[in-house]
Amino acid sequence: MSTKGATELERVVIRFAGDSGDGMQLTGSQFSFTSALIGNDLATFPDFPAEIRAPQGTVEGVSGFQVQIGKVDVLTPGDEADVLVAMNPAALKSNLKWVRKGGNIIVDLDAFEARNIEKAGFKENPLNSGILNDYLVIEAPISSLTKTALEGSGLDNKSILRSKNMFALGIMYWLFSRSMDQTIQFLNTKFKKKPEIAEANIKVLQAGFYYAETVEALPSSFEVPSASIEPGIYRHISGNTATAWGLMAAAEKTGKKLFLGSYPITPASDILHELAKHKGMNVMTMQAEDEIAAVCSAIGATFAGSIGVTTSAGPGIALKGEAIGLAGITELPLVVVDVQRGGPSTGLPTKTEQADLNMALYGRNSDNPIILVAPSTPADCFDMSYEAVRLAHEHSTPAMILSDGYLANGSEPWKFPAMADLPAIHPRVAGKEQEPYMPYARDTKTLARHLAIPGTPGMEHRIGGLEKEDGSGNVSYDPENHDKMVRLRCEKVARIANHIPAQEILCAQEGDLLVVGWGGTYGSLHTATNALFQEGKKVGQAHFRYISPLPSNTREVLEKFKKILVCELNMGQFLGYLRTQFPDIPMESYTKIQGLPFTVSEIKEAILKNI
């Protein structure tokens, strides 16, 4: 479409907010998809209530979707919105603090009636009270114009009002010079069996677009050009989808079947949903009756020669603890995905947190370490899921992927990899060279044992949770054998440090302050660190994706800087872990526990205070 006369922007942050039934997630997703198709880099942040159906019109029931798009590298969904679309007073109240002063606010004027204003907790109409004086407010009668657009459609009033999110999307498409074609195609596909619904949504989408084109209240349109990115085939991917695809890619690389045993839980359920779509690709999924059944079925699948995986969030991982210990003592390469959320207990199930680290490190009986990896971005969930399978199956021990709600629901453009470019995986499967088979005989370098597929002639053996005799695997109560086996299992995990990449330092390679983080905080930490580095500050960043074991050069990295600031979304669990490993190196902590990701400005302020 023509963008003649549009004002060019380097990046922009847009936030959609409304009742949880207003379709804000769909609206935000469609805007993101369209922006990705024209080559913008982007990062998204869906933010929705925990309650399945919170009271309509209340602040507690507001659902939001924030996206930052740009022609430059975009690593976060942005600190403050340049544009807020608020579909009712509650959406305005709960999101106003996230809009920059001078930003644009588009409201559905029809929703600002006395009853809704009162339910949102305002004492008077916010459109007239003066609290919006610092913003450019566009009062669009979205609901009534949606009704006008669908007059004579034959749809009932409720169905008509469900389309009003498309009117808001149409306004945004005009404002940012986007084409409506992709969304029209999406609606025709989504409502293929209900063409009257598709037609209604398309009509409202176009009505919103042409309303924005003609109304004088809107500022001129904007253009965010395509980003300069490496050539290739890209798609828009969320963290949970990337996790599912990474597991599938690893299974295909090994020639094994992928089995997922899972019990639904927010925010991990989408991994089960995604894998269930791919039965034709050697994927088996089972929705178990509870968390214990889920993990035990995955252990059984692993024993039988498949890639056994179980997924959950914090409370579910707690229930799986004993079974993960079983995979540890049997030295079976179980893969566990923990999509962390706010806790403890049910806590903040739709909000993000990094507070399961201590449980992942120590939450099993006895001395029983496992591999821990933590993806840093939604797309990195693909790489680290693949890596978790590789490490687990090459070293015959369980591995856990520490994702989180921010990564799971967030999304970004992702370059489609070729299978040939993915690293080889060499599962420890017993062959002729292991005959006569000793199930707990070990590779002398890695200490990994070889697995025999049940039913393989000549490789019959027993397995279970009782301690094994070194080599033979027979049940053993010998004190010295137990001491030896515990130390061997711990040493095996420690030696994996020789088979993972060295820790990388970003920005300053040595100097005044090293910003240390792990997992899903990468985008905020890197944006802040890089900005200060570009200003001349001697600030470096070490972002850990391998948690247990730590990369072998970790001490060398930490000792390059005068000060170390460990930033994480908990009360300092990674800091405590690092202190146990390097008690002689002083480190400081910066933490946040609000169910929200770090903002870039928060990290910048913390860095400047500690330089």
Side-chain angles (χ1 to χ4, degrees):
M1 66 175 293
S2 172
T3 57
K4 187 177 179 181
T7 303
E8 184 173 314
L9 300 175
E10 191 171 79
R11 64 176 76 212
V12 69
V13 179
I14 300 160
R15 193 174 181 96
F16 300 90
D19 258 333
S20 57
D22 281 344
M24 292 297 96
Q25 303 303 322
L26 176 66
T27 308
S29 298
Q30 281 301 303
F31 190 87
S32 302
F33 291 152
T34 299
S35 299
L37 281 176
I38 66 172
N40 289 142
D41 199 359
L42 61 89
T44 68
F45 177 46
D47 185 19
F48 40 85
E51 295 172 78
I52 293 173
R53 201 71 185 103
Q56 274 193 312
T58 63
V59 171
E60 291 75 18
V62 171
S63 174
F65 187 103
Q66 183 162 311
V67 56
Q68 179 169 207
I69 59 173
K71 70 172 186 178
V72 295
D73 283 348
V74 173
L75 298 176
T76 76
D79 286 6
E80 293 182 316
D82 299 295
V83 181
L84 168 68
V85 176
M87 300 298 283
N88 61 19
L92 177 66
K93 183 165 188 177
S94 64
N95 286 277
L96 187 58
K97 61 186 174 185
W98 303 115
V99 185
R100 71 167 172 81
K101 293 288 192 294
N104 296 288
I105 298 176
I106 301 172
V107 300
D108 180 1
L109 181 61
D110 299 320
F112 282 73
E113 55 186 22
R115 182 166 166 268
N116 288 339
I117 291 169
E118 183 182 356
K119 285 173 75 175
F122 286 114
K123 292 182 179 176
E124 57 182 313
N125 190 335
L127 301 180
N128 307 321
S129 67
I131 66 169
L132 302 180
N133 287 349
D134 292 331
Y135 309 91
L136 175 61
V137 181
I138 299 103
E139 300 176 5
I142 292 175
S143 295
S144 56
L145 288 176
T146 298
K147 291 178 182 177
T148 302
L150 296 182
E151 276 181 359
S153 65
L155 297 176
D156 59 63
N157 193 53
K158 189 175 180 182
S159 298
I160 287 174
L161 286 177
R162 278 180 184 159
S163 305
K164 65 183 180 182
N165 61 328
M166 289 295 110
F167 195 98
L169 184 59
I171 294 176
M172 300 306 289
Y173 277 170
W174 179 85
L175 193 59
F176 290 98
S177 309
R178 318 269 103 162
S179 167
M180 294 181 283
D181 293 348
Q182 192 275 337
T183 297
I184 291 173
Q185 184 180 347
F186 164 81
L187 292 169
N188 280 324
T189 303
K190 181 177 176 64
F191 298 110
K192 188 176 180 180
K193 295 181 179 178
K194 296 181 178 177
E196 70 281 6
I197 300 296
E199 184 183 350
N201 278 280
I202 293 168
K203 201 168 184 179
V204 174
L205 175 72
Q206 293 169 333
F209 186 93
Y210 295 121
Y211 166 81
E213 190 177 47
T214 55
V215 70
E216 294 182 357
L218 285 169
S220 61
S221 64
F222 301 101
E223 181 191 5
V224 181
S226 304
S228 297
I229 56 177
E230 186 181 347
I233 299 174
Y234 285 78
R235 63 156 284 157
H236 181 252
I237 199 164
S238 71
N240 271 348
T241 301
T243 298
W245 287 31
L247 295 170
M248 285 195 295
E252 184 172 337
K253 199 73 169 181
T254 59
K256 291 173 174 285
K257 289 184 177 179
L258 175 64
F259 175 88
L260 174 67
S262 183
Y263 181 75
I265 187 170
T266 300
S269 300
D270 284 345
I271 301 173
L272 171 61
H273 300 160
E274 181 64 26
L275 288 175
K277 299 175 187 174
H278 301 288
K279 293 178 183 175
M281 298 180 67
N282 265 338
V283 177
M284 296 178 289
T285 56
M286 185 183 84
Q287 180 176 324
E289 70 268 30
D290 58 37
E291 297 282 7
I292 297 172
V295 63
C296 287
S297 66
I299 292 172
T302 301
F303 178 59
S306 297
I307 306 288
V309 181
T310 189
T311 54
S312 194
I317 299 297
L319 292 168
K320 293 178 194 289
E322 182 183 352
I324 297 172
L326 174 63
I329 196 170
T330 52
E331 302 184 48
L332 289 170
L334 171 73
V335 176
V336 181
V337 184
D338 180 2
V339 186
Q340 300 167 95
R341 65 187 203 181
S345 187
T346 308
L348 306 174
T350 58
K351 310 298 180 184
T352 196
E353 205 166 83
Q354 291 184 302
D356 292 348
L357 177 59
N358 280 343
M359 180 174 65
L361 284 166
Y362 313 116
R364 293 166 297 284
N365 62 308
S366 185
D367 292 294
N368 186 16
I370 62 174
I371 301 165
L372 295 181
V373 298
S376 57
T377 68
D380 193 40
C381 288
F382 177 91
D383 295 327
M384 297 316 287
S385 299
Y386 187 94
E387 186 71 342
V389 174
R390 182 185 75 82
L391 293 173
H393 281 261
E394 292 187 349
H395 297 270
S396 305
T397 196
M400 186 181 293
I401 303 161
L402 284 171
S403 180
D404 60 50
Y406 177 65
L407 295 178
N409 297 317
S411 59
E412 63 179 339
W414 174 61
K415 186 180 178 183
F416 215 88
M419 281 299 294
D421 295 336
L422 297 176
I425 300 176
H426 304 288
R428 295 278 178 180
V429 179
K432 289 288 182 186
E433 58 273 29
Q434 276 74 46
E435 292 181 350
Y437 183 56
M438 295 283 282
Y440 287 84
R442 300 173 186 282
D443 180 289
T444 55
K445 289 185 179 178
T446 65
L447 299 180
R449 78 176 186 93
H450 286 78
L451 276 61
I453 306 300
T456 304
M459 294 191 177
E460 297 82 2
H461 62 287
R462 71 178 68 187
I463 196 164
L466 292 172
E467 185 59 279
K468 285 99 182 78
E469 182 182 67
D470 186 25
S472 71
N474 294 331
V475 173
S476 172
Y477 291 98
D478 177 69
E480 292 186 357
N481 175 76
H482 177 59
D483 184 287
K484 181 179 182 181
M485 292 296 277
V486 169
R487 293 179 191 279
L488 278 171
R489 290 189 289 264
C490 292
E491 176 63 17
K492 180 176 64 170
V493 174
R495 288 190 187 185
I496 293 172
N498 300 322
H499 301 271
I500 59 177
Q503 180 59 45
E504 184 182 16
I505 305 176
L506 303 173
C507 301
Q509 296 301 297
E510 59 184 5
D512 295 328
L513 181 77
L514 179 67
V515 177
V516 171
W518 64 278
T521 57
Y522 169 78
S524 303
L525 299 189
H526 185 64
T527 304
T529 305
N530 190 48
L532 293 172
F533 174 63
Q534 296 301 327
E535 292 173 10
K537 303 286 191 299
K538 293 181 179 178
V539 182
Q541 180 190 7
H543 202 81
F544 286 81
R545 298 158 72 223
Y546 295 88
I547 308 297
S548 173
L550 290 165
S552 56
N553 67 331
T554 300
R555 170 177 285 280
E556 181 186 339
V557 168
L558 299 177
E559 288 180 338
K560 286 178 179 290
F561 291 82
K562 295 175 185 174
K563 287 186 175 181
I564 295 166
L565 182 66
V566 184
C567 305
E568 50 190 324
L569 299 175
N570 56 49
M571 290 185 65
Q573 296 184 18
F574 192 57
L575 173 76
Y577 174 51
L578 288 176
R579 281 175 172 166
T580 65
Q581 305 294 308
F582 310 101
D584 57 317
I585 299 179
M587 304 176 211
E588 300 299 324
S589 177
Y590 180 71
T591 63
K592 177 178 178 179
I593 321 159
Q594 300 175 10
L596 296 169
F598 285 126
T599 64
V600 174
S601 56
E602 286 171 342
I603 299 300
K604 272 187 178 179
E605 186 179 350
I607 293 172
L608 291 173
K609 279 184 180 176
N610 282 276
I611 287 181

